[in-house]
Amino acid sequence: MSATWSTPKWPSALLQVHDSLRLRVLSPRPRFHPFQLLTPSRSQRCQLSSQPRPGKRSLLTLAIETSCDDTCVAILEKYGAAGEASRLLFNKKITSDNRQFRGVNPMTAVVSHTQHLATMVRDAMRSLPEAPGIRTTKGESREDNCEGKIMSGNERVLWVDGQARRKPDFVTVTRGPGMMSNLSTGLNTAKGLAVAWDVPLLGVNHMQAHALTPRLVSALEAGNRSREQPEEQEASQTAPESEKPAFPFLSLLVSGGHSLLLLSRSLIDHAILAEAQNIAVGDMLDKCARAIVPPGEIARGTGVMYGAMLERFAFPDTSASRSYDYEYVPPPTRADEIKIFDSGCGWYLTPPLSWTTDMAYEFAGLNGHILKILLERPDMAVPERRLLARHAMRLVFEHLASRLLLALAKGTNGDGGSQLRDIRTVVVAGGVASNRYLMHILRSVLDARGYGHIELVCPPLPLCTDNAAMIAWTGMEMYEAGWRSELDILAIRKWPLDPNAEGGGILGAPGWKKVEDGKS
């Protein structure tokens, strides 16, 4: 069955700005609408100028993300009768240049964070909503005001460039997991802002944010709908739509540092069903890309996203076509799934963990075998390299799909608990989720193996990779659940999501405090 990539209608005035922030949904439909490939720029900023309607409950946060090599700042507002809608006021990212290291160099990234973060925060403050009804005193010029500081009698106001702006209700920041020095740069900045503005701090989990990103996009779409429809129609809607996807759902988090299949039961409960035994899928794709893609093509690259280079090399025509035929036939059975691939060129590829159905991922073995093939054939021609790239990705992505199928089968067979039986949505997030071939394979395999009813949801491409918008949204959900962070919290290099894992999961980290409803 063909796959459909469906996106909701956005207001025409905002299409140019927010075309890259639509939710990508792969569900079984009779027609195929291709993925929309949107490559985020080196410095990306998205803004909305339209205002939410007055008289509604509203929360505002400034968020910072510095867990790796991206310096990210965002401002998000959540509003509506039940807080079901959001608008993204500012969203900017600057990536450090690590090309000379052929990968992320922590100190280079820290220098970039230190160089750019303060300026980005300053830019973000200029995008805060104007404070209604605030005027300077007669005869006082805007230059006489202390920019960025709270004026007497206006505790919810900041003065920025002489303009009264609404102060964020809290500051959100990535606390972990990630590189310690990188995380600490953002965390210390966020602490300073929280103290200066006298607002709460929320240090959130980076991988939790990836899993919740589709809920952010759902809220952004709700925000656009609320600004389009007449007030009388909106007033008649007494039961606002909740964030989607609703819990429980499965989360496949795939990036350069993580390969996790999770049962997401709630905001703070994400049980691990399968995880990588050694290297992550994104790391494996990067290593393969540096060996398979011709050096000249790598040299023309603008960054160190080698996995994306591998996809473009394997399928060079995808960027020029809105509808690309991968000529992919999904394996109809487990036996077909684990067959050894014979290239016809004298080399073979064996699917990972083909001898077992253990709930685990393994990528180092296939990676090592691919590197060995290239060492034995240093003069391999480009067409053969392209064949190797395509089938390396195919086996890796089918391996990811295989454990997803095993998890869904547990629910079907009745031995996985009621929550697995109730699964109707699979969220795919993280940097590798931007790979169109991965999403095509996952949808095709689910359809072929009897799970065509499962909705496959993926964030828009700019929100698959690291960004501060997802951090802001996670802060919103944690704040509304009553959670706050103490000012003495430290960055966390490894921070598991599973509450049953060592460390106690998200809430197992020290420094959380729970507040009563209505209190800060």
Side-chain angles (χ1 to χ4, degrees), residues 207 252-260 281-282 400 428-433 438 464:
M207 299 310 295
L252 181 61
L253 305 185
V254 283
S255 68
H258 297 85
S259 304
L260 295 168
V281 58
L400 290 172
V428 187
V432 181
L438 165 63
C464 286

Side-chain angles (χ1 to χ4, degrees), residues 89-110:
L89 301 174
F90 182 92
N91 187 33
K92 184 175 181 181
K93 172 163 72 175
I94 295 177
T95 304
S96 59
D97 188 348
N98 293 274
R99 284 175 291 179
Q100 70 180 97
F101 304 103
R102 295 171 61 87
V104 177
N105 178 270
M107 289 311 300
T108 299
V110 168

Side-chain angles (χ1 to χ4, degrees), residues 273-304:
L273 303 180
E275 62 182 325
Q277 295 179 340
N278 34 62
I279 63 174
V281 58
D283 188 18
M284 184 256 183
L285 292 174
D286 286 347
K287 286 179 167 66
C288 287
R290 290 194 292 266
I292 296 174
V293 179
E297 293 199 23
I298 288 183
R300 288 193 294 271
T302 57
V304 293

